[in-house]
PDB file of all heavy atoms in Angstrom:
ATOM      1  N   LEU A  43      19.345  23.449 -11.312  1.00 98.00           N
ATOM      2  CA  LEU A  43      20.652  23.259 -11.876  1.00 98.00           C
ATOM      3  C   LEU A  43      20.636  22.408 -13.126  1.00 98.00           C
ATOM      4  O   LEU A  43      21.349  22.695 -14.129  1.00 98.00           O
ATOM      5  CB  LEU A  43      21.680  22.734 -10.873  1.00 98.00           C
ATOM      6  CG  LEU A  43      22.051  23.661  -9.724  1.00 98.00           C
ATOM      7  CD1 LEU A  43      22.800  22.917  -8.642  1.00 98.00           C
ATOM      8  CD2 LEU A  43      22.889  24.858 -10.261  1.00 98.00           C
ATOM      9  N   VAL A  44      19.877  21.359 -13.147  1.00 97.00           N
ATOM     10  CA  VAL A  44      19.722  20.496 -14.308  1.00 97.00           C
ATOM     11  C   VAL A  44      19.089  21.241 -15.460  1.00 97.00           C
ATOM     12  O   VAL A  44      19.564  21.201 -16.575  1.00 97.00           O
ATOM     13  CB  VAL A  44      18.997  19.166 -14.000  1.00 97.00           C
ATOM     14  CG1 VAL A  44      18.650  18.413 -15.247  1.00 97.00           C
ATOM     15  CG2 VAL A  44      19.812  18.281 -13.028  1.00 97.00           C
ATOM     16  N   LYS A  45      18.012  21.998 -15.173  1.00 98.00           N
ATOM     17  CA  LYS A  45      17.343  22.775 -16.165  1.00 98.00           C
ATOM     18  C   LYS A  45      18.309  23.807 -16.752  1.00 98.00           C
ATOM     19  O   LYS A  45      18.348  23.929 -17.976  1.00 98.00           O
ATOM     20  CB  LYS A  45      16.130  23.518 -15.570  1.00 98.00           C
ATOM     21  CG  LYS A  45      14.967  22.582 -15.356  1.00 98.00           C
ATOM     22  CD  LYS A  45      13.845  23.230 -14.564  1.00 98.00           C
ATOM     23  CE  LYS A  45      13.139  24.339 -15.277  1.00 98.00           C
ATOM     24  NZ  LYS A  45      11.955  24.852 -14.582  1.00 98.00           N
ATOM     25  N   TRP A  46      19.008  24.479 -15.922  1.00 98.00           N
ATOM     26  CA  TRP A  46      20.003  25.510 -16.425  1.00 98.00           C
ATOM     27  C   TRP A  46      21.078  24.804 -17.303  1.00 98.00           C
ATOM     28  O   TRP A  46      21.392  25.326 -18.372  1.00 98.00           O
ATOM     29  CB  TRP A  46      20.684  26.177 -15.190  1.00 98.00           C
ATOM     30  CG  TRP A  46      21.708  27.191 -15.672  1.00 98.00           C
ATOM     31  CD1 TRP A  46      21.423  28.447 -16.053  1.00 98.00           C
ATOM     32  CD2 TRP A  46      23.051  27.027 -15.846  1.00 98.00           C
ATOM     33  NE1 TRP A  46      22.613  29.068 -16.391  1.00 98.00           N
ATOM     34  CE2 TRP A  46      23.649  28.193 -16.341  1.00 98.00           C
ATOM     35  CE3 TRP A  46      23.923  25.905 -15.608  1.00 98.00           C
ATOM     36  CZ2 TRP A  46      25.016  28.332 -16.542  1.00 98.00           C
ATOM     37  CZ3 TRP A  46      25.271  26.037 -15.870  1.00 98.00           C
ATOM     38  CH2 TRP A  46      25.778  27.219 -16.332  1.00 98.00           C
ATOM     39  N   SER A  47      21.523  23.671 -16.864  1.00 98.00           N
ATOM     40  CA  SER A  47      22.547  22.929 -17.598  1.00 98.00           C
ATOM     41  C   SER A  47      22.017  22.530 -19.023  1.00 98.00           C
ATOM     42  O   SER A  47      22.743  22.668 -20.054  1.00 98.00           O
ATOM     43  CB  SER A  47      23.035  21.730 -16.886  1.00 98.00           C
ATOM     44  OG  SER A  47      23.619  22.093 -15.676  1.00 98.00           O
ATOM     45  N   LEU A  48      20.788  22.083 -19.090  1.00 98.00           N
ATOM     46  CA  LEU A  48      20.226  21.670 -20.352  1.00 98.00           C
ATOM     47  C   LEU A  48      20.002  22.911 -21.308  1.00 98.00           C
ATOM     48  O   LEU A  48      20.306  22.832 -22.487  1.00 98.00           O
ATOM     49  CB  LEU A  48      18.920  20.951 -20.168  1.00 98.00           C
ATOM     50  CG  LEU A  48      18.989  19.542 -19.541  1.00 98.00           C
ATOM     51  CD1 LEU A  48      17.599  19.030 -19.226  1.00 98.00           C
ATOM     52  CD2 LEU A  48      19.740  18.619 -20.405  1.00 98.00           C
ATOM     53  N   GLU A  49      19.598  23.965 -20.720  1.00 98.00           N
ATOM     54  CA  GLU A  49      19.482  25.194 -21.489  1.00 98.00           C
ATOM     55  C   GLU A  49      20.851  25.706 -22.051  1.00 98.00           C
ATOM     56  O   GLU A  49      20.979  26.112 -23.205  1.00 98.00           O
ATOM     57  CB  GLU A  49      18.844  26.315 -20.716  1.00 98.00           C
ATOM     58  CG  GLU A  49      17.363  26.081 -20.420  1.00 98.00           C
ATOM     59  CD  GLU A  49      16.758  27.016 -19.370  1.00 98.00           C
ATOM     60  OE1 GLU A  49      17.480  27.908 -18.882  1.00 98.00           O
ATOM     61  OE2 GLU A  49      15.539  26.875 -19.089  1.00 98.00           O
ATOM     62  N   TYR A  50      21.870  25.571 -21.188  1.00 98.00           N
ATOM     63  CA  TYR A  50      23.207  26.006 -21.567  1.00 98.00           C
ATOM     64  C   TYR A  50      23.703  25.119 -22.692  1.00 98.00           C
ATOM     65  O   TYR A  50      24.283  25.599 -23.664  1.00 98.00           O
ATOM     66  CB  TYR A  50      24.126  25.901 -20.325  1.00 98.00           C
ATOM     67  CG  TYR A  50      25.517  26.292 -20.639  1.00 98.00           C
ATOM     68  CD1 TYR A  50      25.918  27.618 -20.849  1.00 98.00           C
ATOM     69  CD2 TYR A  50      26.526  25.301 -20.668  1.00 98.00           C
ATOM     70  CE1 TYR A  50      27.197  27.944 -21.070  1.00 98.00           C
ATOM     71  CE2 TYR A  50      27.822  25.634 -20.928  1.00 98.00           C
ATOM     72  CZ  TYR A  50      28.200  27.009 -21.133  1.00 98.00           C
ATOM     73  OH  TYR A  50      29.512  27.268 -21.386  1.00 98.00           O
TER      74      TYR A  50
END
Side-chain angles (χ1 to χ4, degrees):
L43 289 169
V44 169
K45 285 171 66 174
W46 179 84
S47 297
L48 291 173
E49 290 170 0
Y50 179 74

